[in-house]
């Protein structure tokens, strides 16, 4: 008895066959030594770039620690990431500054958790605007806090490599919740923290 292939396996076969057909349409030999393994390699790369669909920010933010803190924001700055644009499937890469202000007496997340939450969303077909909002929404949902913030700066392949072809241009997006949205002074102090250098 032959079992029906899983939808993912069937989709993988269609994808690799489709890419091989595209090679042929471009006048290339999909069975050549150089290209015969390329469809499979492309598929594995795309699976790696979109592994965030199989992850959940709740998993990373569930582990917290009862730490006394000063009532000031907790921030991780300059966190690198790469995502795939959902419009052209070209990469965009940059850094994120992420912060939150715990409620008095609330536990805090481990140091690695903010970058991991960023990766959950960056490893999906994305827009930068969505990632920025998704990070703060996840912090709001899973931590006890007074506000969250995320600022992302990145260079987009769809702007640098095609169309307008403006390499070096950066897109900047920001999301603020709670006190960082409501209080301009708190937001200004947060920006000072983000821009601080040792």
């Amino acid at each position: 008895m032959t079992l029906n292939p899983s939808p993912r396996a069937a989709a993988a076969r269609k994808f690799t066959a489709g890419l091989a057909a595209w090679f042929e349409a471009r006048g290339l030999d999909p069975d050549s030594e150089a290209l015969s393994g390329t469809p499979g390699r492309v598929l594995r790369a795309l699976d790696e770039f979109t592994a965030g669909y199989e992850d959940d920010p709740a998993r990373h933010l569930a582990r917290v620690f009862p730490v006394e803190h000063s009532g000031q924001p907790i921030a991780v700055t300059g966190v690198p990431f790469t995502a795939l644009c959902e419009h052209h499937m070209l990469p965009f890469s940059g850094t994120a500054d992420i912060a939150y202000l715990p409620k008095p007496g609330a536990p805090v997340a481990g140091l690695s958790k903010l970058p991991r939450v960023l990766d959950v969303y960056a490893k999906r077909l994305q827009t930068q605007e969505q990632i920025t909002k998704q990070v703060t929404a996840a912090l709001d949902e899973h931590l006890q806090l007074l506000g969250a913030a995320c600022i992302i700066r990145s260079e987009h392949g769809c702007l640098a490599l095609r169309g307008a072809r403006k390499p070096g241009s950066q897109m900047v997006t920001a999301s603020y919740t709670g006190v960082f949205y409501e209080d301009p002074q708190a937001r200004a102090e947060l920006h000072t923290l983000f821009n601080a250098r040792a």
Side-chain angles (χ1 to χ4, degrees):
M1 178 179 174
T2 303
L3 296 176
N4 290 329
S6 72
R8 191 161 185 165
R13 283 196 298 275
K14 288 180 182 178
F15 178 89
T16 54
L19 190 51
W22 183 82
F23 287 152
E24 288 184 333
R26 296 294 293 170
L28 304 170
D29 179 6
D31 297 319
S32 69
E33 184 176 351
L35 294 179
S36 62
T38 297
R41 286 189 292 268
V42 172
L43 181 60
R44 288 190 295 277
L46 289 174
D47 280 344
E48 183 177 337
F49 272 120
T50 58
Y53 288 113
E54 296 158 3
D55 203 352
D56 186 339
R59 180 173 73 89
H60 301 292
L61 296 173
R63 183 76 171 103
V64 293
F65 303 92
V67 175
E68 288 188 21
H69 50 81
S70 63
Q72 298 299 313
I74 296 170
V76 179
T77 64
V79 182
F81 76 95
T82 297
L84 283 184
C85 167
E86 68 183 6
H87 300 139
H88 300 98
M89 290 185 69
L90 289 173
F92 59 99
S93 298
T95 60
D97 297 336
I98 307 168
Y100 69 99
L101 179 59
K103 289 181 177 177
V108 301
L111 178 63
S112 69
K113 304 313 179 187
L114 302 187
R116 292 184 189 279
V117 169
L118 173 68
D119 278 347
V120 167
Y121 295 113
K123 291 183 177 180
R124 300 179 181 188
L125 296 180
Q126 273 290 16
T127 68
Q128 182 173 324
E129 299 92 331
Q130 287 176 164
I131 297 174
T132 314
K133 291 180 180 179
Q134 287 166 336
V135 168
T136 54
L139 297 179
D140 277 336
E141 181 179 356
H142 300 292
L143 297 178
Q144 300 174 48
L145 47 75
L146 298 175
C150 180
I151 299 175
I152 294 179
R153 297 168 181 84
S154 73
E155 182 173 347
H156 288 244
C158 53
L159 178 61
L161 304 174
R162 58 161 302 281
R165 296 188 183 181
K166 299 297 181 186
S169 301
Q170 282 199 327
M171 180 178 184
V172 181
T173 53
S175 176
Y176 306 100
T177 69
V179 66
F180 299 125
Y181 178 78
E182 297 160 1
D183 185 347
Q185 183 176 344
R187 193 161 58 248
E189 291 172 357
L190 179 68
H191 287 181
T192 299
L193 180 64
F194 281 163
N195 293 326
R197 295 292 182 267

mmCIF file of all heavy atoms in Angstrom, residues 145-172:
data_model
loop_
_atom_site.group_PDB
_atom_site.id
_atom_site.type_symbol
_atom_site.label_atom_id
_atom_site.label_comp_id
_atom_site.label_asym_id
_atom_site.label_seq_id
_atom_site.Cartn_x
_atom_site.Cartn_y
_atom_site.Cartn_z
ATOM 1 N N LEU A 145 4.741 44.239 32.201
ATOM 2 C CA LEU A 145 5.522 45.436 31.912
ATOM 3 C C LEU A 145 4.641 46.675 31.815
ATOM 4 O O LEU A 145 3.423 46.598 31.701
ATOM 5 C CB LEU A 145 6.351 45.249 30.641
ATOM 6 C CG LEU A 145 5.676 44.667 29.381
ATOM 7 C CD1 LEU A 145 4.798 45.697 28.718
ATOM 8 C CD2 LEU A 145 6.721 44.172 28.420
ATOM 9 N N LEU A 146 5.323 47.810 31.850
ATOM 10 C CA LEU A 146 4.656 49.109 31.697
ATOM 11 C C LEU A 146 4.740 49.629 30.280
ATOM 12 O O LEU A 146 4.005 50.542 29.909
ATOM 13 C CB LEU A 146 5.273 50.131 32.664
ATOM 14 C CG LEU A 146 5.137 49.807 34.148
ATOM 15 C CD1 LEU A 146 5.904 50.824 34.986
ATOM 16 C CD2 LEU A 146 3.673 49.772 34.553
ATOM 17 N N GLY A 147 5.618 49.061 29.485
ATOM 18 C CA GLY A 147 5.754 49.487 28.096
ATOM 19 C C GLY A 147 6.878 48.741 27.410
ATOM 20 O O GLY A 147 7.772 48.194 28.066
ATOM 21 N N ALA A 148 6.808 48.711 26.086
ATOM 22 C CA ALA A 148 7.838 48.046 25.283
ATOM 23 C C ALA A 148 8.158 48.917 24.086
ATOM 24 O O ALA A 148 7.357 49.754 23.668
ATOM 25 C CB ALA A 148 7.360 46.667 24.822
ATOM 26 N N ALA A 149 9.342 48.699 23.541
ATOM 27 C CA ALA A 149 9.761 49.468 22.370
ATOM 28 C C ALA A 149 10.657 48.613 21.488
ATOM 29 O O ALA A 149 11.406 47.755 21.979
ATOM 30 C CB ALA A 149 10.503 50.739 22.790
ATOM 31 N N CYS A 150 10.567 48.858 20.187
ATOM 32 C CA CYS A 150 11.446 48.196 19.224
ATOM 33 C C CYS A 150 11.706 49.167 18.084
ATOM 34 O O CYS A 150 10.763 49.719 17.498
ATOM 35 C CB CYS A 150 10.812 46.905 18.703
ATOM 36 S SG CYS A 150 11.831 46.022 17.497
ATOM 37 N N ILE A 151 12.974 49.404 17.795
ATOM 38 C CA ILE A 151 13.380 50.227 16.653
ATOM 39 C C ILE A 151 14.269 49.371 15.759
ATOM 40 O O ILE A 151 15.236 48.761 16.234
ATOM 41 C CB ILE A 151 14.132 51.496 17.103
ATOM 42 C CG1 ILE A 151 13.232 52.361 17.977
ATOM 43 C CG2 ILE A 151 14.616 52.290 15.897
ATOM 44 C CD1 ILE A 151 13.927 53.574 18.561
ATOM 45 N N ILE A 152 13.925 49.312 14.486
ATOM 46 C CA ILE A 152 14.672 48.494 13.532
ATOM 47 C C ILE A 152 15.214 49.379 12.418
ATOM 48 O O ILE A 152 14.498 50.227 11.873
ATOM 49 C CB ILE A 152 13.792 47.376 12.942
ATOM 50 C CG1 ILE A 152 13.404 46.371 14.031
ATOM 51 C CG2 ILE A 152 14.501 46.672 11.790
ATOM 52 C CD1 ILE A 152 12.518 45.245 13.554
ATOM 53 N N ARG A 153 16.481 49.149 12.082
ATOM 54 C CA ARG A 153 17.127 49.800 10.941
ATOM 55 C C ARG A 153 17.660 48.695 10.044
ATOM 56 O O ARG A 153 18.391 47.821 10.526
ATOM 57 C CB ARG A 153 18.288 50.688 11.409
ATOM 58 C CG ARG A 153 17.893 51.833 12.303
ATOM 59 C CD ARG A 153 19.113 52.489 12.952
ATOM 60 N NE ARG A 153 18.721 53.581 13.829
ATOM 61 C CZ ARG A 153 18.337 53.415 15.095
ATOM 62 N NH1 ARG A 153 18.298 52.191 15.606
ATOM 63 N NH2 ARG A 153 17.989 54.447 15.833
ATOM 64 N N SER A 154 17.315 48.736 8.761
ATOM 65 C CA SER A 154 17.818 47.679 7.886
ATOM 66 C C SER A 154 17.914 48.147 6.445
ATOM 67 O O SER A 154 17.279 49.118 6.025
ATOM 68 C CB SER A 154 16.929 46.435 7.974
ATOM 69 O OG SER A 154 15.697 46.633 7.328
ATOM 70 N N GLU A 155 18.732 47.424 5.708
ATOM 71 C CA GLU A 155 18.890 47.647 4.264
ATOM 72 C C GLU A 155 18.155 46.529 3.537
ATOM 73 O O GLU A 155 18.339 45.351 3.863
ATOM 74 C CB GLU A 155 20.360 47.659 3.869
ATOM 75 C CG GLU A 155 20.575 47.929 2.390
ATOM 76 C CD GLU A 155 22.040 48.122 2.008
ATOM 77 O OE1 GLU A 155 22.871 48.295 2.914
ATOM 78 O OE2 GLU A 155 22.335 48.094 0.800
ATOM 79 N N HIS A 156 17.345 46.909 2.570
ATOM 80 C CA HIS A 156 16.476 45.962 1.869
ATOM 81 C C HIS A 156 17.023 45.619 0.492
ATOM 82 O O HIS A 156 17.316 46.508 -0.313
ATOM 83 C CB HIS A 156 15.070 46.553 1.737
ATOM 84 C CG HIS A 156 14.316 46.597 3.025
ATOM 85 N ND1 HIS A 156 13.166 45.869 3.241
ATOM 86 C CD2 HIS A 156 14.557 47.255 4.183
ATOM 87 C CE1 HIS A 156 12.735 46.093 4.471
ATOM 88 N NE2 HIS A 156 13.561 46.934 5.058
ATOM 89 N N GLY A 157 17.107 44.315 0.233
ATOM 90 C CA GLY A 157 17.560 43.876 -1.078
ATOM 91 C C GLY A 157 16.670 44.363 -2.201
ATOM 92 O O GLY A 157 17.145 44.665 -3.296
ATOM 93 N N CYS A 158 15.362 44.491 -1.943
ATOM 94 C CA CYS A 158 14.451 44.914 -3.004
ATOM 95 C C CYS A 158 14.647 46.393 -3.355
ATOM 96 O O CYS A 158 14.228 46.823 -4.429
ATOM 97 C CB CYS A 158 13.001 44.625 -2.632
ATOM 98 S SG CYS A 158 12.484 45.274 -1.054
ATOM 99 N N LEU A 159 15.278 47.162 -2.470
ATOM 100 C CA LEU A 159 15.606 48.558 -2.778
ATOM 101 C C LEU A 159 17.048 48.685 -3.267
ATOM 102 O O LEU A 159 17.339 49.492 -4.148
ATOM 103 C CB LEU A 159 15.407 49.426 -1.533
ATOM 104 C CG LEU A 159 15.762 50.911 -1.660
ATOM 105 C CD1 LEU A 159 14.912 51.593 -2.732
ATOM 106 C CD2 LEU A 159 15.591 51.612 -0.325
ATOM 107 N N ALA A 160 17.942 47.860 -2.723
ATOM 108 C CA ALA A 160 19.357 47.975 -3.053
ATOM 109 C C ALA A 160 19.726 47.267 -4.362
ATOM 110 O O ALA A 160 20.606 47.743 -5.101
ATOM 111 C CB ALA A 160 20.200 47.395 -1.917
ATOM 112 N N LEU A 161 19.064 46.146 -4.672
ATOM 113 C CA LEU A 161 19.510 45.283 -5.759
ATOM 114 C C LEU A 161 18.644 45.340 -7.009
ATOM 115 O O LEU A 161 19.057 44.870 -8.062
ATOM 116 C CB LEU A 161 19.567 43.826 -5.270
ATOM 117 C CG LEU A 161 20.430 43.574 -4.034
ATOM 118 C CD1 LEU A 161 20.294 42.138 -3.571
ATOM 119 C CD2 LEU A 161 21.884 43.915 -4.335
ATOM 120 N N ARG A 162 17.446 45.875 -6.913
ATOM 121 C CA ARG A 162 16.533 45.917 -8.048
ATOM 122 C C ARG A 162 15.732 47.213 -7.966
ATOM 123 O O ARG A 162 15.892 47.993 -7.035
ATOM 124 C CB ARG A 162 15.585 44.708 -8.043
ATOM 125 C CG ARG A 162 14.755 44.618 -6.761
ATOM 126 C CD ARG A 162 13.532 43.751 -6.891
ATOM 127 N NE ARG A 162 12.642 44.204 -7.933
ATOM 128 C CZ ARG A 162 11.789 45.226 -7.824
ATOM 129 N NH1 ARG A 162 11.733 45.931 -6.706
ATOM 130 N NH2 ARG A 162 11.020 45.560 -8.828
ATOM 131 N N GLY A 163 14.871 47.439 -8.939
ATOM 132 C CA GLY A 163 14.008 48.618 -8.893
ATOM 133 C C GLY A 163 14.812 49.903 -8.823
ATOM 134 O O GLY A 163 15.582 50.223 -9.725
ATOM 135 N N ALA A 164 14.690 50.634 -7.722
ATOM 136 C CA ALA A 164 15.390 51.912 -7.577
ATOM 137 C C ALA A 164 16.901 51.753 -7.469
ATOM 138 O O ALA A 164 17.651 52.667 -7.781
ATOM 139 C CB ALA A 164 14.857 52.654 -6.355
ATOM 140 N N ARG A 165 17.374 50.593 -7.012
ATOM 141 C CA ARG A 165 18.810 50.290 -6.882
ATOM 142 C C ARG A 165 19.545 51.377 -6.101
ATOM 143 O O ARG A 165 20.405 52.069 -6.629
ATOM 144 C CB ARG A 165 19.433 50.068 -8.253
ATOM 145 C CG ARG A 165 18.843 48.861 -8.954
ATOM 146 C CD ARG A 165 19.544 48.486 -10.225
ATOM 147 N NE ARG A 165 18.877 47.364 -10.859
ATOM 148 C CZ ARG A 165 19.291 46.797 -11.984
ATOM 149 N NH1 ARG A 165 20.346 47.261 -12.616
ATOM 150 N NH2 ARG A 165 18.624 45.776 -12.486
ATOM 151 N N LYS A 166 19.216 51.468 -4.829
ATOM 152 C CA LYS A 166 19.836 52.454 -3.947
ATOM 153 C C LYS A 166 20.524 51.744 -2.778
ATOM 154 O O LYS A 166 20.049 51.761 -1.638
ATOM 155 C CB LYS A 166 18.789 53.437 -3.412
ATOM 156 C CG LYS A 166 18.074 54.237 -4.487
ATOM 157 C CD LYS A 166 19.040 55.137 -5.255
ATOM 158 C CE LYS A 166 18.305 55.953 -6.326
ATOM 159 N NZ LYS A 166 19.248 56.719 -7.152
ATOM 160 N N PRO A 167 21.666 51.083 -3.027
ATOM 161 C CA PRO A 167 22.363 50.409 -1.927
ATOM 162 C C PRO A 167 22.812 51.406 -0.876
ATOM 163 O O PRO A 167 23.158 52.549 -1.179
ATOM 164 C CB PRO A 167 23.560 49.743 -2.622
ATOM 165 C CG PRO A 167 23.745 50.504 -3.886
ATOM 166 C CD PRO A 167 22.382 50.976 -4.301
ATOM 167 N N GLY A 168 22.798 50.946 0.360
ATOM 168 C CA GLY A 168 23.186 51.801 1.472
ATOM 169 C C GLY A 168 22.028 52.524 2.123
ATOM 170 O O GLY A 168 22.155 53.027 3.238
ATOM 171 N N SER A 169 20.881 52.589 1.435
ATOM 172 C CA SER A 169 19.703 53.217 2.027
ATOM 173 C C SER A 169 19.170 52.339 3.150
ATOM 174 O O SER A 169 19.138 51.113 3.033
ATOM 175 C CB SER A 169 18.610 53.403 0.977
ATOM 176 O OG SER A 169 19.072 54.201 -0.089
ATOM 177 N N GLN A 170 18.743 52.969 4.222
ATOM 178 C CA GLN A 170 18.199 52.225 5.350
ATOM 179 C C GLN A 170 16.755 52.621 5.609
ATOM 180 O O GLN A 170 16.388 53.781 5.494
ATOM 181 C CB GLN A 170 19.009 52.487 6.617
ATOM 182 C CG GLN A 170 20.312 51.729 6.692
ATOM 183 C CD GLN A 170 20.826 51.652 8.119
ATOM 184 O OE1 GLN A 170 20.629 52.564 8.909
ATOM 185 N NE2 GLN A 170 21.491 50.555 8.450
ATOM 186 N N MET A 171 15.965 51.630 5.959
ATOM 187 C CA MET A 171 14.605 51.867 6.422
ATOM 188 C C MET A 171 14.616 51.811 7.940
ATOM 189 O O MET A 171 15.266 50.934 8.539
ATOM 190 C CB MET A 171 13.663 50.799 5.864
ATOM 191 C CG MET A 171 12.219 50.970 6.286
ATOM 192 S SD MET A 171 11.186 49.687 5.533
ATOM 193 C CE MET A 171 9.575 50.210 6.084
ATOM 194 N N VAL A 172 13.921 52.745 8.584
ATOM 195 C CA VAL A 172 13.846 52.786 10.035
ATOM 196 C C VAL A 172 12.374 52.713 10.439
ATOM 197 O O VAL A 172 11.549 53.485 9.944
ATOM 198 C CB VAL A 172 14.478 54.068 10.605
ATOM 199 C CG1 VAL A 172 14.408 54.059 12.126
ATOM 200 C CG2 VAL A 172 15.920 54.221 10.136
#
